[in-house]
Amino acid sequence: MRRMTARPANAHQARLLKLLRDGGPHSRAQLGDRVDLSRSKLAVEVDRLLETGLVVADGLAASRGGRRSHNIRLAPQLRFLGVDIGATSIDVAVTNAELEILGHINQPMDVRDGPVAVFEQVLSMAAKLRASGLAEGFDGAGIGVPGPVRFPEGVPVAPPIMPGWDGFPVREALSQELGCPVMVDNDVNLMAMGEQHAGVARSVGDFLCVKIGTGIGCGIVAGGEVHRGTTGSAGDIGHILAVPDGRPCACGNRGCLEAHFSGAALARDAKEAAQQGLSVELASRLETNGTLTAVDVAAAAAAGDATALDLIREGGNRTGQVIAGLVSFFNPGLVVIGGGVTGLGHTLLAAIRTQVYRQSLPLATGNLPIVLGELGPTAGVIGAARLISDHLFSPA
Amino acid sequence: MRRMTARPANAHQARLLKLLRDGGPHSRAQLGDRVDLSRSKLAVEVDRLLETGLVVADGLAASRGGRRSHNIRLAPQLRFLGVDIGATSIDVAVTNAELEILGHINQPMDVRDGPVAVFEQVLSMAAKLRASGLAEGFDGAGIGVPGPVRFPEGVPVAPPIMPGWDGFPVREALSQELGCPVMVDNDVNLMAMGEQHAGVARSVGDFLCVKIGTGIGCGIVAGGEVHRGTTGSAGDIGHILAVPDGRPCACGNRGCLEAHFSGAALARDAKEAAQQGLSVELASRLETNGTLTAVDVAAAAAAGDATALDLIREGGNRTGQVIAGLVSFFNPGLVVIGGGVTGLGHTLLAAIRTQVYRQSLPLATGNLPIVLGELGPTAGVIGAARLISDHLFSPA
DNA sequence: GCTTCTTTGTCCTGTGAGTGGAGAAAGTTG
DNA sequence: CAACTTTCTCCACTCACAGGACAAAGAAGC
């Protein structure tokens, strides 16, 4: 089957496509209410989009007291692939053109196995989704990697936690394999875009999206646009100093936030506590599983374990202190907390809130919601689909 | 004399005006090389601008081997007023439409005297400049105040160091008095715009501009645009935690950056050191002047006084630590240090650089210049003129 | 001084974008 | 079945803009 070949010919068409993507099917009249074009001009552009096959008119909507309108919608056979490569697992999902997830699979994997192995995995997951009948092919793919990316070229640069990926032409390679356009970004930026598109950050212009997983990072959205920085490393807050002369960090410094709180740090601290006999709960879990992860700490905390709660509270305080500084600096309208450790739930959130509200100025925090992400593990893949659709739904 | 009444009628005209502002006089042919319009269309728009009086054609340029070209330039009688209200002094300047400073005066003044007294002062300074023959009137004015501003309305909000200004309609009041359009912004943002227009930050898309004066703040430019945040308080880095359980700050917390380093903190620390007999140099200055300021510390440091140098180094380290975090977060392409304490010069800069280069990741600092501002006290007033000219040179 | 070439600026016409109104199509309501 | 609504189409007119022809003005060579 032939995939999407056309691109919008002008800004009007791009606007219409994004409207249909974000708001679902519209009649011509409804579109006219939202785009500030005359009905005649609108009809021309819609007709041209229909000709290209990017949108279709299917069926008539119910009458609202007059002639029934045609439903204009994005071509239903369009398929985007969203890929979210984490430090320890891979998420792959298929969406339609409205970025609704049609199928989603997750598999554990270590990025440090290198790009070749990871690519093989991603391709086999994509093939699985295709084989299940959800897609005959992909019109575009977005992919997130856990490190800085030179965005225009789609190439990871100097990624600390994924050696072997430096300079690997992710965009080009994946595009070749899948036979469709590909865009690459940092996983944290994609999570932010996901929450912006379909989560808690809808209609917020300036917000921060803090992702606490194996590491810790922050997606920055300013004026509705992701801020990536000069070298693509913006939002890399894991190595901000959190504790003067604190724990040694993999980066060579001491006291980095990531060394004190992150999925990895939490697991390490929990293990230490268990071995020191501070927590029966954690010790028994260590006994059974042979190791501990953030999930164990969350379970222990849920069971009322004081040590686990302390660890979470302490980590939340550290994180909150750093976020407080970022809030003073950036003055966002919303802070979203997401990533693997969101399972720690309210305890974590409360600690973060306390620090931020206490340390930042009232003007910046007065009306500042600090909330958990709404989309969980789907934020990344939705963001990835959004990334490529933003690209494809822009004039060539 | 009648002032500027017209505004550009469309985006093309706006583009042309900004080109003439930033690049000086051009011939029609030169303009054509820079705006991607046909010569015919360009001629039409230039003619319209000539009709409005916003630009004039005066004289012929030297021939470059063919017909001589007409010089097209912004109307020479246009005048902008740039006002920079600091915590302890006021700068007022007149510029032409190319934002060149024609006259500049500075007077000491305490913002805490309140808006009415400060306004009187500003108006008398403006009158003085007008009386000196530099301007017959003003076509627009930009004004910076040392606190957060609700930008669209031009009203200060909850300004910590300028009680009495909260909610004062600066824009409206000044516009009434001067009889011209006025735009209001935070003084730090204007400094950033000044350095962007005519200083070290030309042609840098993402940069930070740290202003260390009585307080400490940071102008944020992302994608060429000033980031003001949700409530206009972005860049308020003075109250980021720099020293856990450190010195008490006026904001009620402890250990804020501003409590440890700023013009005021430096003066306080110098006085303490002098009184404790740690520095003969500082003590003698305290004796003669009755008080100490950052200028005294700078002089003592220049004279080789170890205590003064230590104070500067220590403050630079604190500031550098905070900036290091911001660099990791924002990944700017340039950091500019400005404000009153730039007199502390290389000692301060060296300390800041050391901390940033040591603590931020190589990818973010690899090619990151950290430099002193180029414009000194004129950055603010140039930025103010730029602010209003950006407004007036945009389609109405 | 004359020709040729270069550069600058103007004029004119064709094309396509876009608006707004008239009216057809297809409903609902009484 | 008439009256009213809503949706969509068609058409004529306006304006933005490009591109080529050409005029104006000067430089360089003979």
Side-chain angles (χ1 to χ4, degrees):
Chain A
M1 181 206 154
R2 287 193 52 230
R3 307 306 314 170
M4 168 177 172
T5 59
R7 291 275 289 275
N10 57 42
H12 295 315
Q13 294 186 11
R15 179 84 206 284
L16 291 170
L17 291 173
K18 287 177 184 169
L19 223 51
L20 293 169
R21 177 192 67 186
D22 301 340
H26 284 70
S27 69
R28 285 180 171 79
Q30 288 170 325
L31 287 174
D33 290 342
R34 306 188 59 176
V35 294
D36 200 42
L37 277 179
S38 65
R39 289 198 309 274
S40 10
K41 177 59 178 167
L42 177 70
V44 170
E45 297 300 348
V46 170
D47 286 345
R48 286 184 190 162
L49 285 174
L50 285 167
E51 267 174 46
T52 65
L54 282 172
V55 307
V56 297
D58 63 341
L60 295 169
S63 166
R64 292 182 12 229
R67 173 174 173 177
R68 295 171 64 191
S69 59
H70 291 272
N71 265 332
I72 309 289
R73 66 170 73 228
L74 289 169
Q77 77 279 12
L78 287 175
R79 292 293 178 271
F80 296 134
L81 187 72
V83 181
D84 187 0
I85 299 180
T88 58
S89 72
I90 300 177
D91 282 90
V92 179
V94 196
T95 77
N96 59 13
E98 274 124 23
L99 311 191
E100 291 161 342
I101 293 186
L102 305 179
H104 181 181
I105 44 182
N106 172 293
Q107 287 196 4
M109 173 98 197
D110 193 330
V111 259
R112 287 170 300 183
D113 291 347
V116 177
V118 170
F119 256 60
E120 211 170 295
Q121 181 93 324
V122 167
L123 290 173
S124 99
M125 290 166 84
K128 200 162 161 194
L129 286 168
R130 194 158 41 191
S132 69
L134 295 172
E136 302 184 33
F138 301 109
D139 300 282
I143 175 167
V145 296
V149 170
R150 213 180 312 132
F151 186 70
E153 294 93 17
V155 173
V157 275
I161 70 162
M162 38 195 288
W165 287 76
D166 192 6
F168 186 81
V170 173
R171 179 179 189 171
E172 203 183 305
L174 195 60
S175 175
Q176 197 102 49
E177 292 290 344
L178 291 174
C180 67
V182 172
M183 293 287 282
V184 188
D185 204 345
N186 182 298
D187 63 336
V188 185
N189 292 341
L190 293 188
M191 174 181 160
M193 290 180 78
E195 292 289 348
Q196 182 185 31
H197 178 80
V200 285
R202 272 170 297 218
S203 77
V204 182
D206 297 337
F207 69 94
L208 299 182
C209 194
V210 179
K211 182 174 182 180
I212 312 174
T214 305
I216 189 164
C218 177
I220 306 169
V221 175
E225 297 286 319
V226 173
H227 171 79
R228 299 190 170 84
T230 301
T231 54
S233 78
D236 204 338
I237 64 173
H239 301 281
I240 290 182
L241 181 70
V243 181
D245 296 317
R247 283 181 173 270
C249 177
C251 75
N253 280 326
R254 298 185 141 269
C256 294
L257 175 59
E258 209 168 283
H260 286 266
F261 189 61
S262 66
L266 191 61
R268 178 202 59 202
D269 292 346
K271 201 168 162 193
E272 276 180 18
Q275 287 167 343
Q276 289 172 17
L278 295 174
S279 160
V280 183
E281 183 78 30
L282 289 173
S284 88
R285 290 181 169 269
L286 178 57
E287 187 80 18
T288 12
N289 304 349
T291 181
L292 285 176
T293 71
V295 177
D296 296 302
V297 182
D305 182 77
T307 305
L309 285 169
D310 275 351
L311 285 177
I312 296 171
R313 239 178 260 126
E314 165 112 4
N317 285 339
R318 302 291 187 205
T319 312
Q321 271 176 19
V322 170
I323 295 179
L326 304 182
V327 165
S328 293
F329 173 74
F330 189 72
N331 187 20
L334 170 71
V335 174
V336 181
I337 310 289
V341 303
T342 42
L344 306 177
H346 192 70
T347 311
L348 175 67
L349 201 56
I352 292 176
R353 281 180 176 152
T354 305
Q355 294 300 321
V356 174
Y357 292 146
R358 195 165 65 84
Q359 283 186 30
S360 299
L361 290 183
L363 180 59
T365 57
N367 196 15
L368 175 68
I370 301 177
V371 301
L372 292 179
E374 196 175 289
L375 304 177
T378 63
V381 288
I382 292 177
R386 160 113 184 182
L387 177 70
I388 188 64
S389 81
D390 269 349
H391 175 71
L392 294 174
F393 290 171
S394 296
Chain B
M1 184 206 153
R2 289 195 50 232
R3 307 306 315 171
M4 169 176 171
T5 59
R7 292 274 289 274
N10 57 42
H12 295 317
Q13 293 185 14
R15 177 85 206 283
L16 291 171
L17 290 174
K18 288 177 184 168
L19 223 51
L20 292 170
R21 176 192 67 186
D22 301 340
H26 284 72
S27 69
R28 284 179 170 81
Q30 288 169 324
L31 288 174
D33 290 341
R34 306 189 61 175
V35 294
D36 201 39
L37 278 178
S38 66
R39 287 200 311 271
S40 18
K41 177 58 179 167
L42 177 71
V44 169
E45 297 299 349
V46 170
D47 286 346
R48 286 182 190 162
L49 285 173
L50 285 168
E51 268 173 45
T52 66
L54 282 171
V55 306
V56 297
D58 64 337
L60 296 168
S63 165
R64 291 178 19 227
R67 176 174 170 176
R68 295 171 65 190
S69 59
H70 292 269
N71 265 332
I72 308 289
R73 63 171 75 224
L74 290 168
Q77 79 278 13
L78 287 174
R79 291 292 178 272
F80 296 134
L81 188 72
V83 180
D84 186 359
I85 298 180
T88 57
S89 72
I90 301 177
D91 282 89
V92 178
V94 196
T95 77
N96 59 12
E98 274 125 22
L99 310 190
E100 291 160 343
I101 293 187
L102 305 179
H104 182 183
I105 46 183
N106 172 291
Q107 287 196 4
M109 172 99 198
D110 193 331
V111 260
R112 287 170 299 183
D113 291 348
V116 177
V118 169
F119 257 61
E120 212 170 292
Q121 181 92 325
V122 168
L123 290 172
S124 98
M125 291 166 83
K128 199 162 159 193
L129 286 167
R130 195 158 41 192
S132 70
L134 295 171
E136 301 183 33
F138 301 109
D139 300 281
I143 175 166
V145 296
V149 170
R150 215 179 311 130
F151 186 70
E153 294 92 18
V155 173
V157 276
I161 70 161
M162 39 195 288
W165 285 77
D166 193 5
F168 185 82
V170 172
R171 180 180 187 169
E172 204 184 304
L174 195 61
S175 176
Q176 197 101 49
E177 291 288 345
L178 292 174
C180 68
V182 171
M183 293 288 280
V184 188
D185 204 345
N186 182 299
D187 62 335
V188 185
N189 291 343
L190 293 189
M191 175 181 158
M193 290 180 78
E195 292 289 349
Q196 182 185 30
H197 179 80
V200 284
R202 272 170 298 217
S203 77
V204 182
D206 298 337
F207 69 94
L208 300 181
C209 192
V210 179
K211 182 175 180 179
I212 312 173
T214 305
I216 188 163
C218 177
I220 307 169
V221 175
E225 296 287 316
V226 172
H227 171 78
R228 298 190 171 84
T230 300
T231 55
S233 78
D236 204 339
I237 64 172
H239 302 280
I240 291 182
L241 181 70
V243 181
D245 296 316
R247 284 181 173 269
C249 177
C251 75
N253 279 326
R254 296 185 143 270
C256 296
L257 175 58
E258 208 168 284
H260 285 266
F261 189 62
S262 65
L266 191 60
R268 178 203 60 203
D269 292 346
K271 203 170 160 191
E272 275 181 21
Q275 286 165 344
Q276 288 172 15
L278 295 173
S279 159
V280 185
E281 184 77 29
L282 290 172
S284 88
R285 286 178 172 272
L286 178 57
E287 186 81 19
T288 13
N289 304 348
T291 182
L292 284 176
T293 71
V295 177
D296 295 303
V297 183
D305 182 78
T307 306
L309 285 168
D310 275 352
L311 286 177
I312 297 172
R313 239 178 259 126
E314 166 113 4
N317 284 340
R318 302 291 187 204
T319 311
Q321 271 175 21
V322 170
I323 295 179
L326 304 182
V327 165
S328 293
F329 173 73
F330 189 74
N331 187 21
L334 170 71
V335 174
V336 182
I337 310 289
V341 303
T342 41
L344 305 177
H346 192 71
T347 311
L348 175 67
L349 201 57
I352 292 176
R353 280 179 176 152
T354 304
Q355 295 298 322
V356 174
Y357 292 146
R358 196 164 65 85
Q359 283 187 30
S360 300
L361 290 183
L363 181 58
T365 57
N367 197 13
L368 175 67
I370 301 177
V371 299
L372 293 179
E374 195 174 290
L375 304 176
T378 64
V381 289
I382 292 177
R386 161 114 184 184
L387 178 69
I388 188 63
S389 81
D390 270 349
H391 175 70
L392 293 175
F393 289 171
S394 296

